[in-house]
């Protein structure tokens, strides 16, 4: 896209409807970093919500421009052209933008060209997203089978708690996990925690802390 429109660079922001955000992968040295921002913010947000292309000769003079991405990447945006990415159902799945035309500013012809090729990009991206979703579901099923197999290997409560915590950590890609059980007779939460080569029991009131709130209300807390 950068080559086609004689732009310094281009970016693709995909729409995450579940979180109401646009996100993009931005190159930083040899790695890439993910940038996320509200789906109605900035030029890309305006394009995503209205479905209309935006062509701006001087970004910092536009009230639509969000300088946050420039601040995060250390880049300076001058001219910019953004069009919606629509899938085969006409649904907006993201925004493609070209930045800093090497010819000064982007023309109406540039806008028409980018709009024309955006449907090809959207189709490729849609297929990639669907494939990723399938792979993720397959990974989840495999993990669940592994968890089921691990849980069936022991009836010892302390061992079972350790297995559940280890698998929860793996599934959620977390640093660690804890599992607290409810002791209604004593009005407490308790758990077996690994210490050295053994385990120690920890107990506290059922209404205390995050775990206590979840246990007493039955609500998920993130």
């Amino acid at each position: 896209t950068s080559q086609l429109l004689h732009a310094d660079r281009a970016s693709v922001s995909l729409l995450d409807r579940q979180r109401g955000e646009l996100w993009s992968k931005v190159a930083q040295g040899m790695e890439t970093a993910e940038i996320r921002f509200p789906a109605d913010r900035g030029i890309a947000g305006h394009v995503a919500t209205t479905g209309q292309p935006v062509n701006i000769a001087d970004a910092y003079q536009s009230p639509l421009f969000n300088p946050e991405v420039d601040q995060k990447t250390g880049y300076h945006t001058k001219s910019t052209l953004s069009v919606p990415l629509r899938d085969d159902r006409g649904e907006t799945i993201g925004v493609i933008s070209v930045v800093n035309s090497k010819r000064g500013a982007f023309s109406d012809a540039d806008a028409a060209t980018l709009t024309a090729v955006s449907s090809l990009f959207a189709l490729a991206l849609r297929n990639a997203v669907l494939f990723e979703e399938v792979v993720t579901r397959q990974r989840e099923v495999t993990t669940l089978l592994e968890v089921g197999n691990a849980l069936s290997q022991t009836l010892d409560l302390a061992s079972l708690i350790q297995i559940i915590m280890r698998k929860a950590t793996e599934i959620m890609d977390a640093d660690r996990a804890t599992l607290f059980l409810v002791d209604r007779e004593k009005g407490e939460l308790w758990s077996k925690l690994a210490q050295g080569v053994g385990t120690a029991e920890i107990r506290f009131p059922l209404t205390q802390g995050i775990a206590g709130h979840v246990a007493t209300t039955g609500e998920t807390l993130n």
Side-chain angles (χ1 to χ4, degrees):
T1 305
S2 299
Q3 292 171 355
L4 182 66
L5 293 172
H6 304 282
D8 183 50
R9 61 175 62 182
S11 66
V12 173
S13 301
L14 294 179
L15 186 58
D16 185 337
R17 294 188 183 278
Q18 197 169 357
R19 294 170 64 169
E21 293 176 334
L22 283 166
W23 66 274
S24 183
K25 295 284 188 182
V26 178
Q28 292 184 334
M30 297 294 289
E31 299 178 347
T32 57
E34 187 172 294
I35 290 180
R36 284 182 171 267
F37 52 91
D40 58 354
R41 184 185 295 178
I43 295 170
H46 179 79
V47 173
T49 52
T50 65
Q52 298 298 315
V54 169
N55 189 359
I56 297 172
D58 187 348
Y60 279 84
Q61 296 302 312
S62 171
L64 292 175
F65 181 64
N66 172 24
E68 187 178 327
V69 175
D70 272 12
Q71 291 165 4
K72 286 182 177 178
T73 60
Y75 187 75
H76 184 74
T77 302
K78 298 172 185 175
S79 56
T80 179
L81 167 65
S82 302
V83 303
L85 289 165
R86 293 191 179 94
D87 62 14
D88 53 347
R89 297 172 297 183
E91 187 176 307
T92 299
I93 63 168
V95 176
I96 185 164
S97 304
V98 282
V99 180
N100 293 351
S101 172
K102 294 176 182 177
R103 296 179 290 199
F106 296 104
S107 65
D108 291 341
D110 289 332
T113 299
L114 188 57
T115 300
V117 298
S118 66
S119 59
L120 295 173
F121 300 150
L123 181 61
L125 286 165
R126 180 72 178 173
N127 288 341
V129 168
L130 289 173
F131 176 74
E132 197 170 82
E133 287 175 356
V134 169
V135 170
T136 300
R137 297 292 174 268
Q138 287 178 334
R139 194 180 297 124
E140 287 174 355
V141 169
T142 301
T143 303
L144 289 172
L145 289 172
E146 289 174 357
V147 170
N149 184 50
L151 295 179
S152 66
Q153 290 177 5
T154 181
L155 290 175
D156 176 67
L157 188 56
S159 300
L160 199 55
I161 289 173
Q162 293 301 318
I163 290 170
I164 290 171
M165 290 194 296
R166 187 172 67 250
K167 288 299 179 182
T169 302
E170 292 173 10
I171 292 167
M172 299 307 298
D173 198 20
D175 184 51
R176 61 178 61 188
T178 55
L179 172 65
F180 294 105
L181 297 177
V182 176
D183 185 337
R184 298 198 181 277
E185 210 171 292
K186 293 185 177 181
E188 293 177 334
L189 284 170
W190 68 275
S191 184
K192 295 278 190 182
L193 299 181
Q195 287 189 339
V197 293
T199 59
E201 187 172 293
I202 183 172
R203 285 181 172 267
F204 55 90
L206 184 58
T207 56
Q208 189 173 306
I210 294 171
H213 176 83
V214 174
T216 52
T217 64
E219 297 174 358
T220 299
L221 196 57
N222 187 359

